Amino acid sequence: MAGDQLTTAPVPQSSHGRVALRVAAIYLAARLVTTLFLSLAAELSGFQSRMGADAGLADTVVAWDGAWYWLVAFSGYPTSLPLTDAGQVAENAWAFLPLYPYLAQGVSVPFGGQWGTGALIVSLVAGYGASVALYHLLRLRLDESATLWAVAFFASGPLAALFQVGYAEALNLFWLFCALWCVTRRRYVWLYLLIPLMAFTRPGVLAFALFLGLFGIWRWFHRVREPLRAPEIAHIIALGLLAAVAGFAWQVISGWVTGEPGAYLATELAWRRNWVPGDPTFAPFEPFLAGVSFWFETMWHLPLALGYALVGAGVLLIGAALAFLPAVRRLGIEIRLWSASYLLYLLLVFFPQSSIFRLLVPLSPLWGAFAVPRSPVWRVGVLIACLAGQWWWIYNMYALGNSTWQVP
């Protein structure tokens, strides 16, 4: 299959410093633009906004989920689940994994212990690390020019504000891109460290378990072209099991600490009541289908059948793009299988709402497909679209940020 073999040699060791500087220049320029956007959003924030009328740039760091991560660092996790007046489990810190908030707290110590400062530093550094890791991942398949443009799209993308706020996404992307590079280069040993790091940074490592399973099947059927030896089989199986166990570990820990076996799931479902009141339940695919019903029937007053038809068509189009689109195939089987696995994971567990934009960020290696066309007009146009999307997202989620579709 064209595009499944490595088409570009790995970056020579002597070139790593030059790559780091080039990526740093791109990343710094992108961060200056994002800083301008966030400052403007804070200035435009009014009484109706989550941040209030007197917001400043520092308020963007600890807004929204940043406040929950701060709470984790400040007071840890509750030993008893808080309840609403109706006796239902209330929103609480168990929805947020511990690695990012505690790392940010540790980093903040030399800076007076201000958690927001530590969070900003961790996000900025992790975002740069993710940009470098993305370069090395895509450079295995693309030429230098396309790879640098893909990094520019990533660093300036619609969700690039995540590199400057108190969210765990940037750190998780760094682990993820390193893990995908390891799989692509068949460097499996590092994954025994990276998988637990992902598991305690952001939810989603179960998607990586599915990816490893699909990757193992693909390797088996292509073992004639690339020999599949026993040690590699053992690594893939062991790592897939590790990712599955790590993916459920936080649920076990929360249940053990609170004495409630379903503590984590009940906590996650508490957030859904912000959109759909009542006592929601969970089954695979049920949250996504419930979200389609909520948006099409309740919010937009459109036929539910239309919603299902559009979702079905979208799934087919995305699947076809991952399987057949030449620019996507250029990225290699690993990125394509990861993208398919993660999208299936979202369909299985996610209630679609405005956070869907943020939840799609782990698909960022697909920026490489946008960078494949060599036309300068195309590449500059994509970059402009990225910046326009970034301002739209920052303006709605931070300057406004107070309704059902303005939650980051």
Side-chain angles (χ1 to χ4, degrees), residues 116 143 148 178 251 285 314 331 361 366:
D143 61 33
L148 288 173
C178 289
Q251 299 184 40
F285 294 109
L331 304 180
V361 170
L366 292 176

Side-chain angles (χ1 to χ4, degrees), residues 31-58:
R31 299 287 61 76
L32 291 175
V33 174
T34 300
T35 300
L36 175 63
F37 286 167
L38 287 172
S39 299
L40 185 56
E43 184 69 24
L44 294 174
S45 176
F47 290 106
Q48 80 285 356
S49 168
R50 177 83 168 225
M51 294 194 302
D54 299 321
L57 185 60

Side-chain angles (χ1 to χ4, degrees), residues 116-313:
T117 301
L120 177 61
I121 293 171
V122 171
S123 291
L124 281 171
V125 173
Y128 171 66
S131 298
V132 173
L134 181 64
Y135 174 93
H136 287 285
L137 173 63
L138 294 178
R139 189 68 178 89
L140 297 173
R141 310 285 183 177
L142 305 178
D143 61 33
E144 174 85 0
S145 176
T147 303
L148 288 173
W149 273 101
V151 171
F153 299 157
F154 170 68
S156 306
L159 276 294
L162 293 173
F163 303 137
Q164 295 179 225
V165 297
Y167 275 64
E169 269 72 11
L171 185 61
N172 191 63
L173 289 174
F174 176 56
W175 309 137
L176 173 62
F177 296 165
C178 289
L180 290 173
W181 182 91
C182 288
V183 174
T184 305
R185 297 289 294 149
R186 314 298 188 246
R187 308 284 180 85
Y188 298 109
V189 173
W190 285 104
L191 293 173
Y192 291 98
L193 172 64
L194 289 168
I195 285 173
L197 289 173
M198 286 192 288
F200 288 94
T201 301
R202 280 282 304 147
V205 76
L206 289 175
F208 201 81
L210 174 60
F211 159 66
L212 288 171
L214 294 177
F215 175 73
I217 294 171
W218 180 88
R219 286 287 290 113
W220 175 262
F221 282 105
H222 292 79
R223 65 190 185 277
V224 174
R225 186 175 59 187
E226 181 185 354
L228 180 62
R229 298 179 174 86
E232 185 176 359
I233 295 174
H235 277 308
I236 293 173
I237 293 174
L239 289 167
L241 292 174
L242 174 63
V245 170
F248 288 105
W250 192 241
Q251 299 184 40
V252 175
I253 292 171
S254 62
W256 176 69
V257 172
T258 62
E260 299 286 345
Y264 178 76
L265 181 58
T267 298
E268 289 289 353
L269 291 176
W271 261 267
R272 199 198 298 184
R273 289 197 296 271
N274 291 327
W275 287 271
V276 183
D279 194 10
T281 58
F282 174 82
F285 294 109
E286 184 274 333
F288 206 92
L289 295 176
V292 174
S293 176
F294 168 74
W295 288 104
F296 277 83
E297 285 193 314
T298 304
M299 295 297 294
W300 298 334
H301 306 293
L302 295 172
L304 181 58
L306 176 62
Y308 290 151
L310 290 176
V311 169

